[in-house]
Amino acid sequence: PFAFRVIDCHAWKVTTSADAGDGVALQTAAGVAITNTLALNIVDGNIVRATNLATATRDIASAGTLRVRRTQATNAGCEVFVSIVRVA
């Protein structure tokens, strides 16, 4: 394991359900937000990108945990892609 910084995050919708309020967000192990909520009330095949990365929480220690958490979901079927860079 190594310490890293989150530099981008996007979700690709993979279901045909586009329910209002569905979303996911990146969080630390303690549940503190790294990104804004990525709203998944989009159609199948579309991509939504995080528009905010919190500078206070975007760095993850080498023994740390990065979580993708549903913020509300009827059907949050998506694939989440996270871009990182290694930090010292």
Side-chain angles (χ1 to χ4, degrees):
F2 56 87
F4 62 89
R5 174 175 290 165
V6 176
I7 59 169
D8 190 26
C9 175
H10 65 276
W12 174 40
K13 184 76 174 202
V14 294
T15 66
T16 56
S17 174
D19 300 309
D22 290 349
V24 295
L26 281 185
Q27 296 180 347
T28 66
V32 179
I34 297 172
T35 66
N36 59 301
T37 297
L38 286 68
L40 296 174
N41 57 339
I42 56 177
V43 297
D44 181 40
N46 281 2
I47 295 172
V48 61
R49 175 165 266 117
T51 57
N52 183 42
L53 293 171
T55 55
T57 57
R58 67 182 177 181
D59 290 347
I60 305 296
S62 63
T65 301
L66 178 68
R67 294 184 179 183
V68 176
R69 179 138 313 152
R70 291 184 319 191
T71 55
Q72 176 183 347
T74 303
N75 188 345
C78 68
E79 294 180 15
V80 177
F81 298 85
V82 181
S83 299
I84 62 169
V85 293
R86 192 174 189 159
V87 295

